[in-house]
Amino acid sequence: MPPTTPYAGKFNSCASYGNNNNNHPQPHSPYRNGTAPKPAKENVYNGAYSAAENPYDIPQPHASYRSSSVSSVTTKEHHYNSGCAVSENPYSSTQPHSPRQHSTSCPARAYRHTTSSSSSSSEQSSRNNSVAAKGRRCGHGVTASYGEMCYHDNSLVSASLEALIQHLVPTVDYYPDRSYVFTFLLSSRLFLHPYELMTRVCHLCVEQQRSGDALLDKIRFREVAPKLVQLLTEWTETFPYDFRDERMMRCLKDMTHHVARGDEYSWRAMQQMTQRLIKRLSALGQYEEAVAALNAVATERPASLKSKQASGQRNDVMSVCDDPFVLAQQLTHIELDRLSFIGPEEFIQTFAMKDPLENHKGFFRKRKTSNLEAYVNWFNRLSYMVATEICMPVKKKHRARIIEFFIDVAQECFNIGNFNSLMAIITGMNMSPVARLRKTWSKVNTDKFEILEHQMDPSSNFSNYRTALRGATQRSETAHSSQEKIVIPFFSLLIKDIYFLNEGCASRLTNGHINFEKLWELAKQVSEFLVWRQVICPFDRDRRILQYLVTTPVFSEDELHLASYESEGPENNMEKDSRRSLRSSLLHRENRS
């Protein structure tokens, strides 16, 4: 298990910025406009990885929209200077962009009013319900109800589940706003299985065209078919992992046959969409197999780590790469590779089981979050690898050199915008087996490390880090080079933010309506991640370094403590007892294995 806190080590927490707080405006929501995403990169680490296709190679309709707004201050590329003051934040910006500068209280809510006419009488009755819209002034805006959908300043804030499903269904003269499509497809799984949603949407789309006249029905469906294909295309390209469910693929196949009876052009589009989907799912399977194989290799040779005497026969990280900038680049490759396979729905499925009313659904018992969990495991592995590299050397000066090397690597990660690797390195260096090496630390210049700790200080809900993240996001939006586009967030904190957003807001209101304002906020956070995920890593790959990073064996927590005691002996009776106990325990485990 990872350490309970990354700040349990040698250094005291630095004081937070005087003006920092948790109420900073968040970066501009990247799914507001229809800017097309850039092509994704190939997902190949090194020889250990199979050359799998990235399932996001096909441009996604709205999974990674980049904001078109530009901050008035262009953030320049920054580098550390060991003499800089602690309060100097290389990512600070004087004018952070706020997504709440618009009149609406939630992002991307330009949706049609349900009073528009439709050729279908069933659609008309569902959306208007033959009831005049009721509006009232509320505070600084206008709140209005249209049937079972409530708006505030033309922004959807709540609705019944049935009305939301109906709102997703395209017609001849209506197609749902793309941000609504993303938001509802993302969070609808809190209330029903994606298969149920797809079945109902397809059924409604077909039934709304029925008039009793077979020829007229065929003509009307032919007119709506392109929009149905567009909706299914957005679904398959943004949430392809939903279609690992055989029922989803069966439903997709049924709709393909149905479309084929009315419109050959739409049928061909469905065929092409299905082929792309199968290609992506195949790539996902190859990626998961590759990660499993890498993890197996990393645990195949534990015997080489059992004693300090074996360290002479084992390469360390500096024998593989002695340039901190190059190592930071290779870490960034791994981060972006693994990020690219995390499906946006995995963030929601991490807490989909929290609603006891939904526990009976098999979908929620089988949470599909394997890629997200694999990425969290990578963070833990990197932390333990850093601690292992520091505790392995027999000589104190060698351990000090390794510490200084990782401080420089962490600094380069910060400059690149790779906050996840930065935090993993800091976590590893603050683990108690490393932090207790006082004689080793006395040989290290810790000035740069203290600056890095200050930037990732957890006080005030990581306010320093959040300021740096906003600066990196603005730099990405105004980037003049591929390197400036990189933003890799501290992933565990991102998950925590989404979790508490879900826990802190009710999914349903007292009248039974879905709280769509909550869904907007969930979509806003996830879509920001999708922008960061789609960046192409501009650095050259070094397969030897990558192979080392993902496969070199690392110590367990007990082995780390024992290696630490062998590097610098116990200082008190408690540590002596701990060393004796660890030796006995590890010897017993070796004999059993």
Side-chain angles (χ1 to χ4, degrees):
M1 294 296 291
T4 55
T5 171
Y7 298 94
K10 176 180 177 63
F11 299 104
N12 295 326
S13 297
C14 301
S16 60
Y17 285 113
N19 295 327
N20 279 350
N21 55 58
N22 288 332
N23 299 318
H24 290 297
Q26 296 298 310
H28 180 67
S29 176
Y31 66 92
R32 285 188 181 174
N33 55 38
T35 6
K38 291 180 172 59
K41 63 251 171 230
E42 62 166 341
N43 266 306
V44 186
Y45 278 142
N46 44 57
Y49 256 122
S50 57
E53 288 259 357
N54 186 341
Y56 292 94
D57 277 344
I58 308 297
Q60 302 169 47
H62 55 260
S64 52
Y65 297 157
R66 184 174 298 282
S67 168
S68 60
S69 62
V70 179
S71 172
S72 59
V73 177
T74 302
T75 309
K76 298 180 180 178
E77 183 175 359
H78 298 277
H79 297 282
Y80 263 104
N81 183 326
S82 59
C84 68
V86 170
S87 61
E88 291 178 358
N89 184 352
Y91 285 118
S92 63
S93 176
T94 56
Q95 297 182 8
H97 180 77
S98 172
R100 300 197 180 277
Q101 63 181 336
H102 305 286
S103 59
T104 55
S105 58
C106 293
R109 301 183 184 175
Y111 295 105
R112 73 174 187 95
H113 285 287
T114 53
T115 54
S116 61
S117 61
S118 170
S119 59
S120 170
S121 59
S122 60
E123 178 201 8
Q124 190 78 358
S125 61
S126 173
R127 290 188 175 137
N128 286 338
N129 202 23
S130 300
V131 178
K134 299 177 291 182
R136 67 180 184 275
R137 296 221 166 257
C138 180
H140 297 290
V142 175
T143 299
S145 296
Y146 299 87
E148 295 185 330
M149 303 187 74
C150 298
Y151 292 80
H152 182 73
D153 285 347
N154 298 329
S155 301
L156 180 61
V157 294
S158 69
S160 67
L161 182 59
E162 291 298 325
L164 292 174
I165 294 173
Q166 181 67 57
H167 201 56
L168 188 65
V169 179
T171 67
V172 174
D173 58 356
Y174 163 72
Y175 187 82
D177 187 275
R178 299 171 81 189
S179 53
Y180 174 81
V181 173
F182 174 74
T183 300
F184 190 55
L185 290 182
L186 174 70
S187 296
S188 61
R189 63 200 71 236
L190 290 171
F191 312 103
L192 75 168
H193 192 289
Y195 165 72
E196 296 176 88
L197 177 61
M198 184 175 179
T199 302
R200 292 168 71 173
V201 168
C202 292
H203 175 76
L204 284 170
C205 190
V206 172
E207 289 301 311
Q208 286 177 173
Q209 313 312 317
R210 295 194 187 279
S211 63
D213 184 320
L215 180 59
L216 180 60
D217 291 352
K218 184 176 181 179
I219 294 173
R220 292 174 64 170
F221 185 76
R222 182 182 301 165
E223 292 176 344
V224 79
K227 292 187 177 180
L228 176 60
V229 173
Q230 181 183 348
L231 177 64
L232 293 176
T233 299
E234 292 194 38
W235 196 331
T236 58
E237 293 186 348
T238 311
F239 302 96
Y241 302 167
D242 285 348
F243 293 84
R244 298 185 100 176
D245 185 335
E246 292 181 0
R247 295 173 299 174
M248 292 284 286
M249 291 299 291
R250 191 161 54 246
C251 185
L252 192 62
K253 184 178 180 180
D254 292 342
M255 285 309 302
T256 301
H257 290 319
H258 196 90
V259 168
R261 293 197 293 267
D263 181 17
E264 182 178 355
Y265 176 81
S266 295
W267 173 75
R268 291 185 183 278
M270 288 282 286
Q271 292 282 79
Q272 294 170 359
M273 174 191 69
T274 304
Q275 291 172 5
R276 292 195 302 268
L277 174 62
I278 292 172
K279 187 177 180 180
R280 291 181 182 184
L281 295 180
S282 175
L284 173 64
Q286 293 175 9
Y287 163 76
E288 291 176 340
E289 291 174 3
V291 170
L294 290 170
N295 292 339
V297 170
T299 57
E300 273 179 2
R301 297 168 282 121
S304 64
L305 297 178
K306 294 303 181 184
S307 65
K308 297 284 284 187
Q309 288 73 22
S311 65
Q313 291 80 42
R314 176 180 179 270
N315 289 333
D316 63 18
V317 66
M318 292 188 68
S319 67
V320 177
C321 176
D322 60 0
D323 186 334
F325 184 51
V326 172
L327 189 65
Q329 290 177 336
Q330 302 312 305
L331 288 172
T332 302
H333 266 297
I334 296 175
E335 298 280 355
L336 290 174
D337 281 344
R338 299 206 173 194
L339 280 179
S340 70
F341 281 101
I342 297 175
E345 72 282 353
E346 293 190 48
F347 291 97
I348 306 302
Q349 287 165 190
T350 56
F351 48 74
M353 289 181 65
K354 289 296 181 181
D355 188 347
L357 298 177
E358 306 295 343
N359 279 346
H360 67 283
K361 297 184 183 293
F363 172 76
F364 294 103
R365 289 197 300 270
K366 300 176 183 178
R367 292 180 298 169
K368 301 297 183 182
T369 59
S370 58
N371 299 302
L372 186 148
E373 291 168 5
Y375 188 58
V376 172
N377 291 337
W378 155 249
F379 177 95
N380 295 338
R381 170 181 167 74
L382 180 55
S383 297
Y384 274 84
M385 191 199 80
V386 169
T388 299
E389 294 287 343
I390 294 172
C391 290
M392 277 299 298
V394 176
K395 296 182 179 180
K396 177 172 56 180
K397 65 178 182 180
H398 191 186
R399 291 194 299 272
R401 190 161 66 248
I402 293 286
I403 290 176
E404 291 177 339
F405 175 74
F406 275 117
I407 291 174
D408 290 338
V409 173
Q411 171 186 314
E412 295 297 346
C413 286
F414 183 84
N415 290 336
I416 289 172
N418 182 356
F419 297 104
N420 201 59
S421 291
L422 165 63
M423 192 61 177
I425 293 171
I426 292 176
T427 299
M429 296 177 73
N430 275 307
M431 293 175 71
S432 57
V434 177
R436 65 169 298 277
L437 301 175
R438 300 189 183 186
K439 295 178 182 178
T440 303
W441 280 104
S442 67
K443 302 293 183 181
V444 176
N445 183 342
T446 61
D447 290 346
K448 287 189 289 186
F449 187 58
E450 289 172 351
I451 294 173
L452 292 168
E453 279 198 309
H454 176 74
Q455 296 295 343
M456 304 303 290
D457 186 357
S459 64
S460 301
N461 194 18
F462 289 89
S463 61
N464 294 348
Y465 157 71
R466 294 181 192 277
T467 299
L469 180 64
R470 282 195 302 278
T473 301
Q474 291 172 7
R475 182 183 72 175
S476 177
E477 292 173 352
T478 60
H480 299 291
S481 67
S482 299
Q483 181 174 336
E484 291 178 341
K485 294 179 182 179
I486 297 172
V487 181
I488 303 174
F490 173 28
F491 196 68
S492 295
L493 186 60
L494 175 63
I495 295 174
K496 176 185 171 184
D497 287 344
I498 295 174
Y499 173 82
F500 281 110
L501 174 59
N502 177 68
E503 292 294 300
C505 301
S507 296
R508 289 185 184 269
L509 305 179
T510 54
N511 62 357
H513 279 195
I514 305 297
N515 180 4
F516 213 80
E517 285 194 292
K518 172 182 174 177
L519 271 54
W520 285 128
E521 294 301 323
L522 288 172
K524 171 176 168 290
Q525 295 221 19
V526 173
S527 64
E528 287 171 347
F529 161 78
L530 294 180
V531 169
W532 300 329
R533 183 192 70 175
Q534 58 92 31
V535 171
I536 300 172
C537 190
F539 308 121
D540 293 334
R541 290 177 182 270
D542 188 311
R543 292 181 178 273
R544 180 166 175 257
I545 299 173
L546 291 168
Q547 178 79 13
Y548 183 88
L549 291 172
V550 298
T551 62
T552 187
V554 299
F555 279 142
S556 67
E557 190 168 359
D558 285 348
E559 289 169 338
L560 274 176
H561 279 283
L562 187 56
S564 177
Y565 290 137
E566 291 177 354
S567 295
E568 295 186 17
E571 296 183 352
N572 51 53
N573 290 332
M574 182 180 297
E575 289 190 345
K576 290 179 181 178
D577 292 341
S578 176
R579 181 175 66 173
R580 190 180 305 113
S581 174
L582 287 170
R583 282 177 172 173
S584 175
S585 175
L586 291 174
L587 181 62
H588 180 65
R589 268 185 237 166
E590 287 181 23
N591 292 335
R592 288 182 62 184
S593 61

